[in-house]
Amino acid sequence: MLEEFIHPPRVAYFSMEIALRNEIPTYAGGLGVLAGDMVRSAADLMLPMVAISLVSRAGYFRQRIDEQGRQQEIPDYWQPELWAKPLDAKVAVTIEGRSVWISAWLYLVEGLSGGKQPVLLLDTDLNENTPEDRELTHYLYGGDACYRLKQEIVLGIGGVRILQALGFSIFHYHMNEGHSAFLGVELLRRYAHPLNELRPGEPHYDIPRVREMCSFTTHTPVEAGHDRFDYDLINRVFDHNFDISTIRHLAGNDALNMTRLALNLSEYVNGVAKSHADISNKMFPGYQVHAITNGVHPLTWAAESFRELYNSKIPGWHHEPELLIRAECCISDEDIKIAHLKAKKKLIEQVYDLTGVRLELDIPIIAFARRMTAYKRPDMLFSDIQRLKEIAKKTPFQIVMSGKAHPSDEGGKSLIADLHSYAKQLQGIIPTAYLPDYNLTIAHGMVSGSDIWLNTPLKPFEASGTSGMKAALNGVPSLSVLDGWWIEGCLEGITGWAIGTMASGNGSDAIDLYKKLEQVVLPLYYNEDTSGWTKIMKYAISKNASYFNSHRMMRRYLIEAYTQ
Ligand SMILES: *Cc1c(COP(=O)(O)O)cnc(C)c1O
C-alpha cells in the first residue's frame, strides 16, 4: 500500500477518536474533530503523516431526545466497507494472557493538491477472536475501565505493530491525548537492549531513545479526562512479557496514569492554548509544556458561500490561510452580508427540518453548541429568564443549541433536559431550538449560519475550544468567557466580546453576559448603520481565522515537535 503515497508516511499520529466525515461516527467531540482537522491539513500540505485510530463500529452514539428532554443513546453502527479499504496485515496483542488479533481499514483523506493522507482504523471484529474481544473496537468511550484499558492496548500497542507489519518506517509518534500512551511502552520493548549484552546495573529499556521519538498533546485540565488504571487490573490484563515495574516507574506508583506515562515518554509536550500550557505546567511540575494553540481546517469549516467569496477575493487562502488577514480590505460590506445571509438561510432550513422551529432571517441567532457537561455551563443564558425576556423585548433574538452528554454524565444529561424546559418557557417569546444529535453537519450549519457564537465555560477548564474558531472563519464573532483560545483571540469590540474579565470570578459571568448582550452586542446588531457589525465580522476573519487554523498548527507541530 505504501506505493500509493507521494511521500511515504514518517510521522504517526495516534488518536482514540477521529472525525473523518459526517457518515463515520468515530468521534465524540472536540478531540476527534481536531484530529480530523490535523489530518486534513496534513493532506493539503502533503506531509508524510499516517493517522491511527479505532474503527469504532458502533460509533460514539446517536442522540435522541424524548418529550421530557431526556437524552437517549442509540448505537450508531456504520459500515467500514462503504468508506474504507480492508488491509491484509494482521497483528496480535496479548490481553489477559490470550492473543487478540487486530486488522486495519484504510481510509484516505484527500488534500487539495492531490495529497492523500492514510488513516488506519484498527478492528478486532475478526473470526480469530472471542465474541467479547470482537467488540473491543465497537463502542467509542463505552464500557468500564477494563474495556477502556483493552481498547488502549489495541490502539497503542496494536497500532505500532500494524504500522510495522504494513512496512511503514516511522521516525516520530504523536499521541493525541493520553489514550494512546501504550505506544511508548511498545517502543520501549522494540528498542530494548538485548538482555545478554547488558552489564550489571545497566537499564534494559532505552527510555531516552523512545522519548526522542515521541510527542504528546494534553487536552484537558479536568481531572476526569486523564485515564487511570489500577495495577490489579493492569496485572490481570497487560502483557506479562513487559516489566510492570518499569511502567510503575513511568506512570505512577498508585495507579497507572496514562498522562504520566505519555509525559515521561515524550520529548515534546504540548498544551492546546497558551493558558492551557501554563495550567499544565503547574499540574505537571518538572515537565516543559509548550503551547501550539489549536486551529481548525479552513476549507472544511468555511460555508460554501464563504469559500466562494474567499476564492474570488483572496485566492490561495485555503493553502495559506494567513492571507485571510486581508479580509478587512479585500471584502466589501455588501459581499460579506450576502455570504452570511446565504449561510444563515441554510441554518434556518436545517433548524426547521430537524425541529420544526421557524426562525427569521432578520433577527440575530445566538448559538451554543458543544459537549453538554457542567463546566461548560450551557444554562447560563437562561439563569434569569425574566431578564432574558426583557432584553428580547427591546432587541429580539433567537437561540439555537446542540450537544451530546457522555452517557454516564448524569449532570450533563439533566442540563439537556433543563435546556428543553427553558425552550418551552420561552415559546412564543424567544424562538429557541435544540438540534438533536450534534455532529459535523450540524456544527457546520451552526458555526456559519448564526450571528453570535456563545461560550460560557467555567474558568479555567476550557483547555482551548475550537468551535469559536470555526465561527470566526465564517465571520461570526464570539461572545465568550475569557478562557482557552479566547484569551488569545479576543480583542474587545473588534473580534467579538468577552464575558467578564481575566480577573473576575466565575460567579459574576451571568450578570456580565446579560449586560453585554443588552448594552453592547444587540444594540450594535440593530444599529441603523450596519457597518459597525460588518466590521466585526471582517475582523473575526482577518485577525482570528487567519491565525486559528490547522495549517498553522500542523506546520508548527512539524517544525517544533516532529523534527526537533
Ligand atoms: C468543533 C466541534 C466540537 C468541539 O467544540 P468546542 O468548542 O471545542 O467545545 C464538538 N463537536 C463537534 C461536532 C464539533 O464540530
Side-chain angles (χ1 to χ4, degrees):
M1 62 165 283
L2 284 175
E3 311 77 61
E4 290 188 42
F5 306 108
I6 304 168
H7 307 291
R10 308 294 310 280
V11 175
Y13 178 69
F14 280 63
S15 182
M16 185 83 148
E17 53 171 303
I18 187 162
L20 297 167
R21 56 185 304 138
N22 203 52
E23 295 87 345
I24 303 184
T26 54
Y27 64 95
L31 183 71
V33 177
L34 183 87
D37 282 355
M38 274 285 271
V39 176
R40 286 183 274 274
S41 276
D44 286 348
L45 301 171
M46 295 215 261
L47 301 183
M49 194 163 101
V50 52
I52 293 91
S53 190
L54 302 181
V55 73
S56 300
R57 282 170 178 270
Y60 181 44
F61 65 86
R62 187 171 319 140
Q63 180 193 54
R64 208 176 276 162
I65 293 173
D66 72 12
E67 285 298 307
Q68 278 75 45
R70 281 182 309 227
Q71 167 177 297
Q72 293 167 348
E73 298 110 22
I74 299 146
D76 198 3
Y77 281 98
W78 68 290
Q79 290 175 284
E81 57 277 19
L82 295 183
W83 303 102
K85 197 170 93 180
L87 296 174
D88 286 339
K90 239 179 248 179
V91 297
V93 294
T94 302
I95 290 177
E96 289 171 341
R98 64 182 178 276
S99 289
V100 173
W101 287 90
I102 304 167
S103 69
W105 296 85
L106 173 67
Y107 179 88
L108 286 178
V109 174
E110 299 203 19
L112 281 171
S113 21
K116 280 185 192 166
Q117 216 64 31
V119 179
L120 305 179
L121 300 170
L122 305 180
D123 192 359
T124 62
D125 197 347
L126 306 172
N127 289 329
E128 291 89 333
N129 292 329
T130 65
E132 193 194 329
D133 290 342
R134 291 179 69 149
E135 291 204 346
L136 285 180
T137 51
H138 280 208
Y139 305 97
L140 177 61
Y141 303 133
D144 56 5
C146 181
Y147 184 78
R148 176 74 75 92
L149 171 62
K150 292 173 181 175
Q151 284 192 324
E152 295 188 5
I153 292 170
V154 170
L155 177 65
I157 297 179
V160 171
R161 290 186 184 170
I162 209 134
L163 284 170
Q164 190 176 35
L166 289 166
F168 286 94
S169 79
I170 301 297
F171 81 91
H172 202 87
Y173 295 82
H174 184 174
M175 307 169 208
N176 188 41
E177 200 38 286
H179 310 124
S180 57
F182 288 136
L183 76 83
V185 172
E186 172 64 4
L187 294 176
L188 284 176
R189 196 194 57 79
R190 182 183 293 175
Y191 296 111
H193 302 296
L195 285 170
N196 59 359
E197 289 175 14
L198 290 183
R199 307 266 169 92
E202 273 182 347
H204 175 38
Y205 296 114
D206 191 348
I207 295 172
R209 170 155 188 195
V210 169
R211 203 180 278 151
E212 226 164 70
M213 301 180 75
C214 296
S215 297
F216 166 49
T217 301
T218 175
H219 285 266
T220 177
V222 179
E223 203 43 55
H226 300 261
D227 283 335
R228 282 159 190 274
F229 299 111
D230 288 342
Y231 280 107
D232 287 346
L233 181 67
I234 296 291
N235 282 323
R236 206 174 76 231
V237 174
F238 212 77
D239 188 345
H240 284 261
N241 286 317
F242 196 89
D243 174 21
I244 300 286
S245 70
T246 301
I247 296 188
R248 272 192 123 102
H249 167 69
L250 292 167
N253 210 26
D254 305 335
L256 193 161
N257 181 326
M258 294 298 277
T259 302
R260 286 270 153 210
L261 186 61
L263 284 170
N264 282 324
L265 290 175
S266 298
E267 187 62 38
Y268 188 94
V269 179
N270 194 56
V272 286
K274 289 188 172 70
S275 71
H276 177 236
D278 292 342
I279 293 163
S280 303
N281 273 311
K282 291 199 187 90
M283 279 175 82
F284 314 122
Y287 301 88
Q288 195 194 350
V289 182
H290 299 82
I292 298 175
T293 300
N294 279 347
V296 299
H297 186 248
L299 201 64
T300 299
W301 291 108
E304 205 182 314
S305 55
F306 275 89
R307 285 184 204 168
E308 284 166 7
L309 180 61
Y310 298 151
N311 282 344
S312 80
K313 305 292 179 192
I314 311 178
W317 68 282
H318 45 61
H319 187 71
E320 279 183 289
E322 297 88 336
L323 290 172
L324 292 172
I325 206 163
R326 308 174 75 105
E328 261 155 71
C329 313
C330 296
I331 298 177
S332 70
D333 284 10
E334 209 42 42
D335 282 347
I336 202 160
K337 275 188 210 164
I338 292 170
H340 178 65
L341 283 179
K342 279 186 191 162
K344 191 167 176 178
K345 249 183 213 155
K346 274 198 171 166
L347 174 61
I348 289 173
E349 279 166 27
Q350 203 176 13
V351 169
Y352 181 71
D353 290 347
L354 290 171
T355 66
V357 175
R358 277 189 202 280
L359 302 181
E360 307 280 340
L361 196 58
D362 53 0
I363 294 177
I365 296 176
I366 300 175
F368 183 100
R370 47 189 53 80
R371 188 154 53 88
M372 289 294 163
T373 192
Y375 86 83
K376 302 262 193 184
R377 298 191 291 181
D379 54 347
M380 186 189 290
L381 186 60
F382 308 99
S383 54
D384 186 344
I385 293 275
Q386 206 44 46
R387 183 80 203 277
L388 199 64
K389 286 181 187 168
E390 280 163 23
I391 299 172
K393 219 180 262 170
K394 289 181 288 185
T395 44
F397 54 88
Q398 329 174 76
I399 301 169
V400 180
M401 297 173 290
S402 192
K404 295 176 177 179
H406 186 276
S408 59
D409 181 359
E410 289 305 327
K413 287 192 198 178
S414 59
L415 279 167
I416 293 176
D418 293 346
L419 296 180
H420 281 79
S421 103
Y422 296 133
K424 265 191 199 142
Q425 291 174 45
L426 291 172
Q427 235 168 32
I429 303 165
I430 302 174
T432 302
Y434 195 103
L435 311 185
D437 201 35
Y438 192 41
N439 58 28
L440 295 180
T441 303
I442 291 176
H444 196 267
M446 286 182 74
V447 297
S448 58
S450 58
D451 296 283
I452 299 155
W453 194 257
L454 180 67
N455 189 23
T456 51
L458 190 73
K459 287 183 285 192
F461 295 113
E462 180 92 312
S464 165
T466 51
S467 54
M469 302 173 184
K470 301 169 194 167
L473 188 65
N474 294 286
V476 174
S478 284
L479 169 59
S480 169
V481 164
L482 285 167
D483 202 12
W485 84 281
W486 193 234
I487 298 173
E488 294 163 59
C490 179
L491 296 169
E492 182 67 20
I494 296 176
T495 56
W497 305 269
I499 299 168
T501 62
M502 283 301 286
S504 62
N506 286 306
S508 55
D509 287 343
I511 294 169
D512 208 76
L513 164 59
Y514 291 129
K515 215 164 86 186
K516 273 275 158 76
L517 266 180
E518 183 175 39
Q519 296 176 4
V520 182
V521 181
L522 293 168
L524 184 68
Y525 184 90
Y526 280 109
N527 198 318
E528 246 174 77
D529 177 2
T530 56
S531 68
W533 190 267
T534 43
K535 202 181 264 177
I536 287 195
M537 293 187 73
K538 286 193 223 173
Y539 282 145
I541 299 164
S542 67
K543 303 199 185 303
N544 280 348
S546 65
Y547 180 79
F548 295 99
N549 58 74
S550 50
H551 279 32
R552 170 200 45 88
M553 171 176 66
M554 190 69 247
R555 286 181 170 122
R556 281 195 62 190
Y557 268 114
L558 185 72
I559 292 168
E560 294 170 44
Y562 304 161
T563 53
Q564 275 291 299

